[in-house]
Amino acid sequence: MNKIALLQLSLAMTIFGSVGFFSELSGLPALELVFVRCICAAVFLCAAWMITGHFKNEIWNGREVMLIIFCAVANLLNWIFLFKSFELISVTIAISLYHLAPILVLIIGSLIFREKMNVFSILAISLCFIGTLLIMGTDGFRSSSPEWEGIIYGIIAAFFYAATMLLGKSITKTSVYATTFLQMFIGFLLLIPFVDYSVYTTLKSSEWFWFYTVLTGIIHTGVVYLLFFNSIRHLPTNVVSFMIFVDPAVAILLDILLSGFKPDGIQILGISLIFIGVVYSLKTTGPTENDVMQKRPHTM
């Protein structure tokens, strides 16, 4: 297994685990926050693309350009529905629902990429999924109408997250810099007609709008997506699926450390099952076709 790619994906998921915390601090509605994230990330990624000189060696392929466009749309919808769910339900429940995505990826990936899903893989991902359910706590689904709307948004976000991972995995010729920059730029263009620009003028300075929003755009978007899309090219789908579960575990730990949240016994069990499932999956994952990619030059 490509250890550098695994480290990159682990770091990306760890950083992304704090996105809900910083999103709430920004004080922006979902769509307007995604719009600023696209701008900040596009500027950062374009600069990285130019500075590294990768723009000189791009191999443009019509099929991959279409995949990048579809991936950009899926990623944009993924963000919008995720942040919308944050507005209506707790971050813990939203993130838990969001992580239905790896299950979809594992099943679809086994068909598209012909990666075998043996009994050990099924057991490990079952542990992870049960863990996410337990993280919700005993009151997770005792919801009123608006909260059920948030739950639906979380599930829709999971679907588009899965689509983003699968489409991103299929992009191999275009550099990760070009891929991520184009995704952010396309997202920016698509959102222009729908953004309520008056929102930006009504935010209080005490909300540290620029700091939290720009930080979310550059770090949680630009840096994370460079790491994410580069790493998934060099790892089998089942490993990518399991490592995604690092995200909710980090989100819960941040709630404990920064927000004073204290998980109950069931939630502690859920966090434990996630890590057990991740470790177990990595030990039982045998060599696959994708592991051969570790011998190829990295795009970063």
Side-chain angles (χ1 to χ4, degrees), residues 51-85:
I51 292 171
T52 58
H54 279 77
F55 71 97
K56 299 176 183 178
N57 305 313
E58 290 298 340
I59 302 175
W60 297 106
N61 176 282
R63 175 181 174 276
E64 287 217 345
V65 171
M66 290 303 299
L67 284 173
I68 290 172
I69 293 173
F70 287 133
C71 192
V73 174
N75 185 52
L76 182 65
L77 293 171
N78 151 39
W79 281 357
I80 291 174
F81 283 109
L82 175 62
F83 290 126
K84 192 65 181 176
S85 68

Side-chain angles (χ1 to χ4, degrees), residues 127 131 134-135 249 265-279:
L127 287 174
L134 294 178
I135 281 176
I266 292 178
Q267 290 173 320
I268 291 174
L269 176 60
I271 295 172
S272 301
L273 287 178
I274 287 174
F275 281 108
I276 291 171
V278 168
V279 173

Side-chain angles (χ1 to χ4, degrees), residues 140-151:
F141 286 102
R142 295 177 186 175
S143 307
S144 59
S145 180
E147 290 173 323
W148 272 108
E149 185 179 347
I151 288 171

